[in-house]
Amino acid sequence: METLLTLNPLKPQPHLFKYPNSRTYTPISNNNNCRGLCTSVSCKLSSQPSKDTTKNKVVVPGAAPSLSEDNEPPAVVESRSKNSTGVVVKRLSKRVLSFLANLPLALGEMFTIAGLMALGTAIDQGENPEYYFQKYPEDNPILGFFTWRWILTLGFDHMFSSPVFLGTLVLLAASLMACTYTTQIPMVKVARRWSFLHSANTIRKLEFSDSLPKASIQDLGVILSGSGYEVFLKGPSLYAFKGLAGRFAPIGVHIALLLIMGGGTYSAIGSFKGSVTVPQGLNFVMGDVLGPNGFLSTPTEAFNTEVHVNRFYMDYYDSGEVSQFHTDLSLFDIDGKEVMRKTISVNDPLRYEGVTIYQTDWSISALQILKDDEGPYNLAVAPLTVNGDKKLYGSFLPVGNADSTNVKGISMLLRDLQSVVLYDEEGKFAGVRRPNSKLPIEINGTKIEIVDAIGSSGLDMKTDPGVPIVYAGFGALMLTTCISYLSHTQIWALQDGTTVVVGGKTNRAKIEFPDEMNRVLDRVPEINEPSDVICG
Amino acid sequence: MIFSTLEHILTHISFSIVSIVITLHFITLLGNETIKPYDSSEKGMIATFLCLTGLLMTRWIYSGHFPLSDLYESLIFLSWSFSLIHIVPYFKIRKNDLTTITASSTIFTQGFATSGLLNEIHKPTILVPALQSEWLIMHVSMMILSYAALLCGSLLSVALLVITFRKIFYSSKSNNLLNESFSFGEIQYKNERNKIFQKTSFFSDKNYYKAQFIQQLDYWSYRVISLGFIFLTIGILSGAVWANEAWGSYWSWDPKETWAFITWIVFAIYLHTRTKKNLQGANSAIVATLGFLIIWICYFGVNLLGIGLHSYGSFTLTYS
């Protein structure tokens, strides 16, 4: 007895926890080796008889495996001390794995994530603490308990990077990996195994079954393979299946999700981004604008490139609204040589050595005018705050004594680069002029001619090493989700005299299956003469 | 000019046809089911589908861009998707239970879009620079198709819940009252079966068909929701890729994006509850009902806020 049990003490097998009573362990899995538990059993049998058998009976599923190891007399443990910690780790990891792969836990995690995201949209993100003091005051809490303390301690003001949210995401990723390893892969192995069914009664008990009175199983096989099934025929038995990919695809979905999460994490800790508004004609160096995002961000050689805004211009619809805005950019490397030139617009960025420049916004920086035929003077233009998306820019030309406290002058308003609206010293509307029209306007004795409106381009820059990984994950997710719509259909048939008994089952398309089967079976020819059966 | 009149005509035709179809369905509910009204209602739905397709085509040609740039156009597209979902199973399986739900959804969306509740004119408008991209077609059409499919599937689950739990509410009443409170579907089912079965006891008859019907609803809802889930995945991911091409960030926790992701998660929960036998049936139907509410929050609720990257779809109600 002891020799049997002490064969291979180092292979842990948690299944055996379910059978504490049987001393002669019939192997439950393929390898005939003894399990880790047997070590303790054998030791205890040798040293202390009856009492410890009861103890072992108590050490049943719920108890931690390490306890039984710790209770061993030290003398015996020493010789196997290193191996037992390895065994403990393996057992612990198996328990952790089965805990994580629990479906209700995963569903709970998904619910939590959804709830946190919903909260994140309800609570305004990224404001300073005083805003939350005001909006969620302590003397008037929402739902009776929700005050700003909850928000700031739990990090809900930056929900999508808060520890609570990220922690739940990490837990979900761990659950995904555990589920794929413990549940999905074994299920696929089971699905791929199949066997012929040799009894007509078993076939008749399937989800869908039918019998064709005068038919040959070979005809059925031919028709099934014409309908896209893979058919196996052996003697009087037939097995056909279709759509096995639908069983593999969920694994692909989980892997794709893990890819996306990994790529997203890499992006979050290793990318650079920045934005800048550059007036036409000026330039900047990439490295000045790009700021790091996380601890893995390392600048590359491309950061020394100088970007020059050659020209910024906009296209308009006939109604006057902005249709598209463009920037003509030139890139110069550190030696001053032009390496790239491209005109970018919204939805059409510039890519250079891993750095991407996007056109996201525009602004007006200066107004060039001639005053009394002198100039041209550059007037600075400032944005004016209005409601909504419409932009409005204004400039001011002082008339008379510019140093007096009550300065009067000509105001100019622009909505875009097309036209300028001018107002006189009292604020009354004076006229509209287009830049470059060479048409002057006379306001209170001053002659103004608008030469040009100089715009500035709003550019966003980014370098993101995680993007290829994330894109790969996206593609994989789209593909595998589509494939997992397929239904795994299995059909068995048996030639019983002149009758063919057919049965089948499918895992997803349960509604369409009977109709599809009926259509296939309708096409099996009926054999009326005995000579046909002999040849088939 | 000709385009706008054509558009008007098509809108009105589709609206009226769908109303007639719904009326026909109600007539079959009240009386015995005869073949003629059913066939003509099917033809009516096909005519509606063609009208809505024509409407969208006209707008496309007239405005020069794919007809999906603001809320009105997306609502028309939604009603088109409903009629598409109605028609596709029709070619595979002649008769199904989906018809009433899709037909009524089509008319309600169409009616809402053309009504005066939305404070905007229905003329085609120009596209702002950010929307001038080929991605517009793929991303928005996938999202609207997915909304349509998921809404259908969730409505089927709601019907399942109603039928399952109705017997609890009405169990105290007598048999006669139960007869009168049959739903349209049960009558359909009853009329389908042979007259032979009517010889057996009335009560067990009804329970068996009810159980069968519930199972059918369950399977239909599962299939339609999985299809909608595929479209939703493709829609969200193509939106992310577009955002990366346009603004350099594939996910910026915009309210609409976040709610679309929440919708995705809720339907993923639904699909996972169906993997375990004991959670099937009523439990998954409850999740699908939750999903129904969340889709409306995602589609309309976020637009009411009017902020963020997706502000093109925002609107204000006339009386607010």
Side-chain angles (χ1 to χ4, degrees):
Chain A
M1 186 87 136
E2 283 167 9
T3 33
L4 169 68
L5 296 170
T6 52
L7 257 179
N8 269 0
L10 301 176
K11 300 248 170 89
Q13 181 48 272
H15 287 176
L16 287 179
F17 281 85
K18 295 181 191 146
Y19 305 87
N21 297 325
S22 60
R23 207 59 70 220
T24 53
Y25 292 90
T26 46
I28 297 170
S29 70
N30 294 333
N31 33 347
N32 267 342
N33 300 317
C34 194
R35 321 297 166 210
L37 179 58
C38 302
T39 332
S40 56
V41 171
S42 64
C43 294
K44 288 187 179 146
L45 278 176
S46 60
S47 51
Q48 294 146 6
S50 55
K51 211 172 174 192
D52 294 46
T53 53
T54 50
K55 195 188 227 168
N56 285 328
K57 279 179 194 165
V58 172
V59 177
V60 163
S66 50
L67 278 179
S68 57
E69 298 290 340
D70 290 339
N71 287 340
E72 280 185 20
V76 185
V77 170
E78 268 169 30
S79 58
R80 301 188 192 91
S81 56
K82 278 189 215 151
N83 300 329
S84 56
T85 45
V87 163
V88 168
V89 165
K90 272 195 197 166
R91 271 200 222 139
L92 203 59
S93 63
K94 276 219 153 78
R95 285 197 34 161
V96 167
L97 212 59
S98 58
F99 170 69
L100 281 177
N102 192 10
L103 183 68
L105 174 73
L107 295 183
E109 284 163 11
M110 297 209 281
F111 252 132
T112 318
I113 291 180
L116 285 177
M117 291 205 285
L119 257 187
T121 54
I123 304 176
D124 298 311
Q125 300 283 299
E127 306 277 348
N128 41 358
E130 286 79 34
Y131 178 80
Y132 298 110
F133 295 160
Q134 246 191 341
K135 201 147 186 239
Y136 303 94
E138 274 198 300
D139 45 359
N140 188 17
I142 301 183
L143 292 183
F145 67 93
F146 199 69
T147 65
W148 56 264
R149 283 193 195 280
W150 281 84
I151 297 180
L152 291 178
T153 41
L154 287 174
F156 283 173
D157 59 328
H158 54 284
M159 168 71 80
F160 301 109
S161 46
S162 68
V164 173
F165 187 66
L166 293 177
T168 324
L169 275 180
V170 166
L171 201 57
L172 183 65
S175 282
L176 273 177
M177 291 194 270
C179 174
T180 308
Y181 183 66
T182 56
T183 317
Q184 286 186 322
I185 293 184
M187 257 171 56
V188 165
K189 286 190 193 147
V190 165
R192 291 184 65 186
R193 281 193 224 125
W194 55 270
S195 56
F196 289 110
L197 285 181
H198 297 287
S199 137
N201 279 334
T202 331
I203 293 183
R204 287 209 188 88
K205 286 196 195 127
L206 287 170
E207 225 169 68
F208 169 87
S209 71
D210 205 352
S211 44
L212 306 167
K214 292 188 213 151
S216 145
I217 206 164
Q218 280 85 356
D219 291 333
L220 180 63
V222 164
I223 288 176
L224 280 176
S225 70
S227 299
Y229 287 80
E230 254 194 65
V231 181
F232 301 90
L233 201 54
K234 185 168 104 167
S237 308
L238 174 142
Y239 174 74
F241 74 87
K242 174 162 92 159
L244 187 60
R247 294 255 187 200
F248 293 128
I251 299 182
V253 173
H254 280 193
I255 295 179
L257 281 173
L258 288 170
L259 256 182
I260 294 177
M261 282 191 186
T265 318
Y266 191 28
S267 289
I269 55 181
S271 63
F272 279 87
K273 54 160 66 164
S275 60
V276 66
T277 311
V278 188
Q280 176 177 296
L282 296 188
N283 51 13
F284 64 95
V285 178
M286 281 189 189
D288 290 337
V289 174
L290 288 169
N293 229 357
F295 56 89
L296 273 184
S297 323
T298 47
T300 64
E301 186 51 44
F303 280 35
N304 285 325
T305 323
E306 190 182 308
V307 182
H308 188 81
V309 175
N310 298 322
R311 190 173 155 234
F312 172 75
Y313 60 99
M314 304 207 281
D315 295 334
Y316 304 92
Y317 287 111
D318 294 334
S319 56
E321 318 234 350
V322 178
S323 127
Q324 186 62 274
F325 35 102
H326 312 260
T327 310
D328 183 5
L329 291 172
S330 288
L331 296 178
F332 297 94
D333 69 357
I334 201 166
D335 302 316
K337 194 165 59 87
E338 180 173 12
V339 287
M340 190 163 186
R341 180 158 186 172
K342 184 177 163 149
T343 305
I344 64 171
S345 54
V346 186
N347 281 318
D348 185 19
L350 178 151
R351 286 176 227 271
Y352 175 70
E353 299 218 352
V355 180
T356 320
I357 304 183
Y358 302 88
Q359 172 87 68
T360 51
D361 204 358
W362 61 272
S363 175
I364 304 183
S365 73
L367 203 55
Q368 237 182 19
I369 62 165
L370 286 175
K371 178 182 171 198
D372 294 329
D373 294 320
E374 290 164 6
Y377 296 110
N378 277 354
L379 291 177
V381 170
L384 304 173
T385 38
V386 282
N387 294 328
D389 276 337
K390 302 290 180 208
K391 299 178 185 229
L392 195 59
Y393 298 89
S395 188
F396 183 73
L397 179 68
V399 169
N401 191 2
D403 294 324
S404 72
T405 47
N406 201 10
V407 180
K408 289 217 182 274
I410 299 171
S411 315
M412 294 168 239
L413 289 182
L414 309 99
R415 235 204 286 259
D416 47 40
L417 296 174
Q418 286 184 100
S419 53
V420 183
V421 182
L422 297 117
Y423 298 83
D424 69 359
E425 290 165 33
E426 271 82 52
K428 279 210 314 283
F429 171 73
V432 181
R433 286 291 177 272
R434 287 181 173 275
N436 274 325
S437 63
K438 301 210 184 341
L439 205 65
I441 183 170
E442 183 92 21
I443 304 176
N444 298 124
T446 322
K447 186 169 123 186
I448 308 277
E449 183 184 326
I450 310 282
V451 176
D452 201 4
I454 302 174
S456 56
S457 177
L459 300 170
D460 266 10
M461 300 182 46
K462 199 182 81 141
T463 168
D464 194 346
V467 165
I469 306 176
V470 173
Y471 274 14
F474 281 171
L477 187 61
M478 283 197 242
L479 202 60
T480 46
T481 324
C482 282
I483 297 179
S484 55
Y485 188 68
L486 291 174
S487 190
H488 184 216
T489 316
Q490 298 171 293
I491 298 180
W492 288 269
L494 192 65
Q495 178 95 50
D496 196 4
T498 53
T499 317
V500 172
V501 182
V502 182
K505 64 177 181 175
T506 181
N507 69 338
R508 289 192 221 273
K510 296 202 200 268
I511 319 163
E512 300 108 42
F513 186 52
D515 288 335
E516 192 198 330
M517 281 305 297
N518 282 327
R519 264 182 279 137
V520 165
L521 293 178
D522 282 343
R523 286 160 53 198
V524 178
E526 191 174 333
I527 301 168
N528 287 319
E529 283 132 34
S531 56
D532 286 349
V533 179
I534 297 171
C535 297
Chain B
M1 197 54 215
I2 185 171
F3 280 127
S4 55
T5 41
L6 186 60
E7 210 188 302
H8 267 125
I9 295 172
L10 285 173
T11 323
H12 289 305
I13 291 180
S14 54
F15 189 80
S16 14
I17 289 182
V18 180
S19 343
I20 295 175
V21 164
I22 301 263
T23 325
L24 278 176
H25 268 290
F26 278 130
I27 292 176
T28 61
L29 165 69
L30 296 173
N32 259 338
E33 182 189 296
T34 56
I35 309 293
K36 268 194 246 169
Y38 187 77
D39 262 359
S40 49
S41 76
E42 283 305 312
K43 293 198 178 74
M45 283 309 287
I46 295 182
T48 314
F49 175 69
L50 292 172
C51 277
L52 284 171
T53 318
L55 176 62
L56 286 171
M57 288 279 169
T58 324
R59 269 188 98 94
W60 192 351
I61 298 170
Y62 185 51
S63 63
H65 62 83
F66 196 71
L68 269 182
S69 63
D70 59 5
L71 193 64
Y72 173 69
E73 289 178 346
S74 69
L75 278 173
I76 299 282
F77 199 85
L78 186 67
S79 53
W80 178 81
S81 324
F82 276 127
S83 59
L84 181 69
I85 292 179
H86 176 94
I87 287 198
V88 165
Y90 174 67
F91 287 119
K92 278 184 152 184
I93 309 173
R94 299 305 282 191
K95 202 156 117 57
N96 57 62
D97 310 306
L98 211 51
T99 52
T100 321
I101 288 183
T102 44
S104 4
S105 315
T106 318
I107 190 178
F108 281 131
T109 356
Q110 175 90 347
F112 180 64
T114 46
S115 74
L117 274 180
L118 296 179
N119 188 18
E120 47 188 75
I121 45 177
H122 301 151
K123 286 172 110 112
T125 54
I126 50 161
L127 272 186
V128 297
L131 287 184
Q132 289 173 15
S133 165
E134 293 79 33
W135 285 106
L136 171 73
I137 302 178
M138 165 105 153
H139 167 60
V140 187
S141 59
M142 278 287 139
M143 290 305 286
I144 306 281
L145 272 171
S146 77
Y147 286 160
L150 291 173
L151 283 170
C152 278
S154 324
L155 281 174
L156 284 171
S157 291
V158 170
L160 190 154
L161 279 181
V162 164
I163 295 178
T164 315
F165 292 117
R166 227 174 35 141
K167 54 191 177 198
I168 298 180
F169 295 143
Y170 291 112
S171 58
S172 54
K173 299 195 184 160
S174 66
N175 261 352
N176 289 335
L177 280 174
L178 281 168
N179 295 347
E180 282 159 21
S181 57
F182 267 15
S183 76
F184 68 92
E186 290 181 342
I187 292 189
Q188 248 180 335
Y189 230 90
K190 275 207 72 58
N191 290 336
E192 263 181 62
R193 298 292 167 177
N194 284 332
K195 309 287 180 200
I196 305 173
F197 286 117
Q198 284 180 354
K199 287 185 193 160
T200 60
S201 143
F202 198 66
F203 199 74
S204 65
D205 207 21
K206 183 173 61 66
N207 271 348
Y208 170 69
Y209 293 129
K210 188 187 251 181
Q212 277 238 328
F213 187 58
I214 288 181
Q215 204 191 45
Q216 282 256 322
L217 278 182
D218 198 35
Y219 287 151
W220 266 115
S221 146
Y222 174 59
R223 273 316 249 179
V224 173
I225 287 186
S226 5
L227 193 65
F229 189 72
I230 295 175
F231 288 147
L232 186 64
T233 313
I234 297 181
I236 293 180
L237 295 181
S238 55
V241 173
W242 184 12
N244 198 28
E245 300 302 307
W247 297 302
S249 160
Y250 45 80
W251 196 262
S252 44
W253 297 112
D254 179 54
K256 186 105 178 190
E257 274 176 353
T258 314
W259 277 99
F261 194 31
I262 294 177
T263 315
W264 189 87
I265 289 184
V266 168
F267 282 106
I269 293 178
Y270 172 83
L271 291 174
H272 279 85
T273 55
R274 292 196 67 87
T275 58
K276 285 245 157 74
K277 282 285 175 212
N278 57 346
L279 290 178
Q280 266 184 15
N283 289 320
S284 47
I286 294 176
V287 179
T289 318
L290 179 66
F292 178 71
L293 295 169
I294 291 190
I295 292 182
W296 283 118
I297 299 180
C298 176
Y299 189 31
F300 272 156
V302 175
N303 283 341
L304 280 173
L305 289 179
I307 53 167
L309 296 167
H310 282 95
S311 56
Y312 321 111
S314 62
F315 65 95
T316 51
L317 300 174
T318 44
Y319 49 79
S320 66

